[in-house]
Amino acid sequence: MRFSIATSAFLGLASFILISTVQSVPASVLPDGMPNPNKDESKRIELKSQGTLPNGPPPPKVSKEGIVTLQLIAFNELFEIAFFSELLTNVTNKVPGFDIPNAGERDFVLKSLTAILAQEELHALSVNNVLKHAKARPVQPCKYTFPVSNYTEAISLAATFTDLVLGTLQDAVERFALGSDSSLARLITAVVGQEGEQEGWYRTQQRRIPSQLPFLTTSDLNFAFTAVQSFIIPGSCPNIRDIPLKTFQPLTILTPPTTKTQNITVSWKPDPTIKEPEKLSLTYINQQNLPVSVPLRIKSMANVVVAEGVFPYNENILNGLTIAVVTTGGGSFPNVDAVAKATVFGPNLIIVN
Ligand SMILES: *[C@@H]1O[C@H](CO)[C@@H](O)[C@H](O)[C@H]1NC(C)=O
Ligand SMILES: *[C@@H]1O[C@H](CO)[C@@H](O)[C@H](O)[C@H]1NC(C)=O
Ligand SMILES: *[C@@H]1O[C@H](CO)[C@@H](O)[C@H](O)[C@H]1NC(C)=O
């Protein structure tokens, strides 16, 4: 049974952020003149990406909600650029833990990461271009730091955040539909497929089958907004306040589950605004199914609250990405949107198989 190392990356995020404010973490600078490449830099990015930016005109207008969705996508793409740029540098320089001994394999990894980085750069540019054209401020990069110390961990983290992106872009397309932003649906679904190709490669590198589920797990913009912030050096984002999404408090999974129904232990920092913690639920989102909520039993309440709840793997075949959050008001949520509205801690990301 395998667990995403990235799960622990997300787990450690609260303490990690604290550490990174104290130490002076070297800030990653985006490559290729991003997010404002000049003509030559843009050309070089396109050549490395094996393709081009869409050359048609951006949509004439975008709904207010559509703007928020584009901001979140740009916010996420900029973080991915920082990640893949750093990973490519680590592999190129044979940084300890990132040396791939087999020359043929190393060459293939370098070629793949070079293309992925450039493709992510074009994703970010395309979305920021739409924002500019719609008279909204383009999203600026932050300073990032990543909790990975070797190639295996890096690929596992890439697989985890790409999984979350694949769920989040489903929410993006639904929001475009609700806002009558039909001209954005095609652009974003072109990106969904592209990220799915990446995910298949990250999975095969972990000796997992490339296609994880019949219907990929859905998510919510607010969950992605929260998750990306775990890699951001606090206070380093020039215009994060432009993005009107929610940031939830961290949820840790102390005992990540395996392929069977079992109790798992989770924890969070006590929040005085939550009056009846014993009434909180653990809610799971997997595939295109109705969210599953289970009661939490509080085990201890000191510096952290530790609670236990069942992970109902057998009943629900919880393979692939499962998004776990702690919600108020358990019971039956009709969809992920309702879950996000009731979320207090999370998301934490579980990947089984
Ligand atoms: C790159 O390597 C450094 C040094 O080991 C490490 O701290 C950082 O997390 C790595 N970043 C990525 C994205 O691989
Ligand atoms: C990568 O780093 C993690 C955490 O330090 C460690 O548990 C794991 O064994 C390392 N993996 C490899 C392949 O070096
Ligand atoms: C989970 O813990 C509860 C309470 O201790 C117990 O009744 C239940 O059988 C456990 N469930 C599983 C699947 O182990």
Side-chain angles (χ1 to χ4, degrees), residues 261-263 297 308 310:
T261 293
Q262 65 204 278
N263 283 314
R297 292 174 294 278
E308 181 189 69
V310 76

CSV table of all heavy atoms in Angstrom, one decimal, residues 261-263 297 308 310, ligand 3:
chain,number,residue,atom,x,y,z
A,261,THR,N,-11.5,0.0,5.1
A,261,THR,CA,-12.2,0.8,6.0
A,261,THR,C,-11.5,0.8,7.4
A,261,THR,O,-11.2,-0.3,7.9
A,261,THR,CB,-13.6,0.3,6.1
A,261,THR,OG1,-14.3,0.6,4.9
A,261,THR,CG2,-14.4,1.1,7.2
A,262,GLN,N,-11.2,2.0,7.9
A,262,GLN,CA,-10.4,2.0,9.2
A,262,GLN,C,-10.7,3.4,9.8
A,262,GLN,O,-11.1,4.3,9.1
A,262,GLN,CB,-8.9,1.9,8.8
A,262,GLN,CG,-8.4,3.0,8.0
A,262,GLN,CD,-7.2,2.6,7.2
A,262,GLN,OE1,-6.1,2.6,7.7
A,262,GLN,NE2,-7.4,2.2,6.0
A,263,ASN,N,-10.4,3.5,11.1
A,263,ASN,CA,-10.4,4.8,11.7
A,263,ASN,C,-9.1,5.5,11.4
A,263,ASN,O,-8.1,4.9,11.4
A,263,ASN,CB,-10.6,4.6,13.2
A,263,ASN,CG,-12.0,4.3,13.6
A,263,ASN,OD1,-12.9,4.9,13.1
A,263,ASN,ND2,-12.2,3.3,14.5
A,297,ARG,N,-14.8,11.7,16.8
A,297,ARG,CA,-14.8,11.5,18.2
A,297,ARG,C,-13.5,12.2,18.7
A,297,ARG,O,-12.4,11.9,18.3
A,297,ARG,CB,-14.7,10.0,18.6
A,297,ARG,CG,-15.9,9.2,18.2
A,297,ARG,CD,-15.7,7.7,18.4
A,297,ARG,NE,-14.8,7.2,17.5
A,297,ARG,CZ,-15.1,6.8,16.3
A,297,ARG,NH1,-16.3,6.9,15.8
A,297,ARG,NH2,-14.1,6.3,15.5
A,308,GLU,N,-10.9,11.3,16.0
A,308,GLU,CA,-10.9,10.1,15.2
A,308,GLU,C,-12.2,10.0,14.5
A,308,GLU,O,-13.2,10.3,15.0
A,308,GLU,CB,-10.7,8.9,16.2
A,308,GLU,CG,-10.6,7.6,15.5
A,308,GLU,CD,-10.7,6.4,16.6
A,308,GLU,OE1,-11.8,6.3,17.2
A,308,GLU,OE2,-9.7,5.8,16.8
A,310,VAL,N,-14.0,7.5,10.9
A,310,VAL,CA,-13.8,6.4,10.0
A,310,VAL,C,-13.5,6.9,8.6
A,310,VAL,O,-14.0,7.9,8.2
A,310,VAL,CB,-15.0,5.4,10.1
A,310,VAL,CG1,-16.2,6.0,9.3
A,310,VAL,CG2,-14.6,4.0,9.6
B,3,LIG,C1,-13.6,3.0,14.9
B,3,LIG,O1,-13.6,3.3,16.3
B,3,LIG,C2,-14.9,3.1,16.9
B,3,LIG,C3,-14.8,3.6,18.3
B,3,LIG,O2,-13.7,3.2,19.0
B,3,LIG,C4,-15.2,1.6,16.8
B,3,LIG,O3,-16.5,1.4,17.4
B,3,LIG,C5,-15.3,1.2,15.3
B,3,LIG,O4,-15.5,-0.2,15.2
B,3,LIG,C6,-13.9,1.5,14.7
B,3,LIG,N1,-14.1,1.3,13.2
B,3,LIG,C7,-13.2,0.6,12.5
B,3,LIG,C8,-13.5,0.4,11.1
B,3,LIG,O5,-12.2,0.1,13.0
